[in-house]
């Protein structure tokens, strides 16, 4: 987290530099908006295996990421949509977050599919980072960066925590919207809701970040649905709508 970024994100810098102040109406400049899509797994890490024993989660998440990218660019032609991996490559969780941070992403959406093991389960769910873990991470990274300078470390930790809380609030709102859009399109499927967890791919992200579990790939019925491009288009459409909604609500205000 860069300090300046954190302060801007919190809207604490209300006064523009004198050189930029001009008389008359202020033109509305559409801000650039960057969305990072993270296709879960990849390369050596296949993720879970589909009901048919052939297709891996990494294939589904990559296909869905490409479909979502195309769909978003149709709705938000001025946005930039970056993928944390473009092909079947092995990428560490830290590198995925680093790529989203380097792209200056406004939002990070990590795509996954579930497997239930013994008890067959179905449904879609969205995860946000657990706030307790968030805070510990904030305090830890402040300590690491500042070493023996306790006052500055405390101040940094506070700014970080404020920024993280703001990101987390937005992430939670976005996660609820993701669930709503899916529930609208799939009223017959189980809405498993928004959950909290300490996923590494959400940790260290300098923007609101959520992880979406599209459904249970190892369940014969739901797995078939996820592998069907027509059905998947509906899933992608729901994600697109949630992101467009997020853009309308947050992207132009900063
Ligand atoms: Zn996964």
């Amino acid at each position: 987290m860069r300090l300046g970024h954190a302060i801007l994100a919190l809207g604490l810098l209300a006064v523009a530099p004198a050189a930029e102040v001009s008389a008359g109406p202020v033109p509305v400049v559409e801000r650039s908006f960057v969305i990072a899509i993270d296709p879960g797994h990849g390369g050596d890490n296949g993720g879970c295996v589909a009901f048919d024993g052939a297709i891996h989660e990494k294939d589904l998440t990559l296909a869905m990421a490409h479909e979502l990218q195309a769909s978003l660019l149709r709705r938000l032609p001025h946005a930039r949509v970056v993928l944390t991996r473009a092909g079947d490559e092995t990428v560490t969780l830290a590198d995925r977050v680093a790529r989203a941070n380097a792209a200056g992403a406004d939002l990070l959406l990590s795509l996954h599919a579930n497997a239930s093991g013994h008890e067959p389960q179905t449904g879609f769910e969205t995860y946000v980072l657990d706030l307790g873990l968030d805070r510990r991470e904030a305090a830890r990274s402040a300590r690491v960066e500042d070493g023996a300078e306790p006052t500055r470390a405390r101040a940094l930790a506070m700014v970080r925590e404020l920024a993280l809380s703001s990101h987390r609030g937005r992430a939670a709102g976005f996660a609820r919207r993701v669930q709503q859009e899916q529930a609208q399109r799939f009223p017959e499927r189980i809405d498993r809701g928004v959950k909290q967890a300490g996923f590494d791919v959400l940790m260290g992200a300098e923007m609101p970040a959520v992880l979406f579990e599209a459904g249970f790939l190892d369940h014969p019925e739901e797995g078939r649905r996820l592998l069907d491009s027509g059905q998947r288009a509906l899933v992608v459409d729901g994600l697109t709508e949630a992101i467009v909604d997020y853009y309308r609500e947050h992207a132009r205000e900063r």
Side-chain angles (χ1 to χ4, degrees):
M1 172 65 62
R2 293 176 298 276
L3 194 62
H5 182 216
I7 290 170
L8 281 173
L10 292 167
L12 296 178
L13 287 185
V15 184
E20 288 175 20
V21 176
S22 64
V26 181
V28 176
V29 179
E30 199 150 323
R31 224 187 122 260
S32 67
F33 183 59
V34 183
I35 305 139
I37 304 172
D38 172 47
H41 312 277
D44 299 340
N45 178 349
C48 67
V49 183
F51 64 94
D52 63 0
I55 301 211
H56 282 81
E57 182 184 355
K58 67 173 183 177
D59 308 312
L60 173 72
T61 59
L62 187 61
M64 210 189 303
H66 283 301
E67 290 157 2
L68 179 57
Q69 182 178 39
S71 165
L72 281 169
L73 290 175
R74 280 194 296 274
R75 293 289 300 279
L76 299 170
H78 302 296
R80 206 153 72 82
V81 184
V82 298
L83 267 55
T84 58
R85 67 176 173 101
D88 185 21
E89 51 175 320
T90 308
V91 186
T92 66
L93 296 176
D95 278 346
R96 292 166 194 263
V97 175
R99 287 176 187 184
N101 288 346
D106 295 276
L107 187 64
L108 169 62
L109 172 61
S110 186
L111 301 175
H112 287 258
N114 260 325
S116 50
H118 11 275
E119 292 254 320
Q121 294 181 71
T122 61
F124 47 89
E125 60 200 14
T126 305
Y127 285 88
V128 294
L129 191 57
D130 177 79
L131 189 56
L133 289 167
D134 234 9
R135 287 199 171 122
R136 283 197 291 282
E137 169 68 10
R140 190 193 62 80
S141 47
R143 274 199 307 277
V144 168
E145 277 172 30
D146 285 80
E149 209 185 320
T151 312
R152 184 157 174 269
R154 266 202 303 279
L156 249 187
M158 211 170 74
V159 169
R160 262 172 217 279
E161 186 170 328
L162 283 170
L164 286 172
S165 306
S166 135
H167 286 169
R168 196 186 165 281
R170 289 182 177 199
F174 174 63
R176 281 194 295 274
R177 190 58 189 236
V178 165
Q179 288 298 115
Q180 280 167 13
E181 296 292 342
Q182 295 299 314
Q184 269 175 30
R185 285 161 183 79
F186 301 105
E188 73 285 8
R189 293 180 61 202
I190 296 172
D191 178 350
R192 302 169 69 94
V194 174
K195 298 175 176 178
Q196 292 188 17
F199 284 115
D200 280 350
V201 76
L202 303 180
M203 203 93 78
E206 294 174 357
M207 72 291 300
V210 312
L211 188 148
F212 176 62
E213 294 275 8
F216 285 78
L217 198 52
D218 66 344
H219 189 278
E221 202 178 301
E222 196 159 84
R224 243 180 223 108
R225 192 194 283 270
L226 292 172
L227 297 181
D228 177 272
S229 60
Q231 287 286 302
R232 205 165 58 237
L234 269 180
V235 176
V236 166
D237 186 61
L239 294 174
T240 303
E241 203 55 49
I243 292 171
V244 169
D245 188 66
Y246 183 90
Y247 170 81
R248 288 197 184 114
E249 202 176 330
H250 299 297
R252 293 185 220 189
E253 76 190 19
R254 287 195 274 167

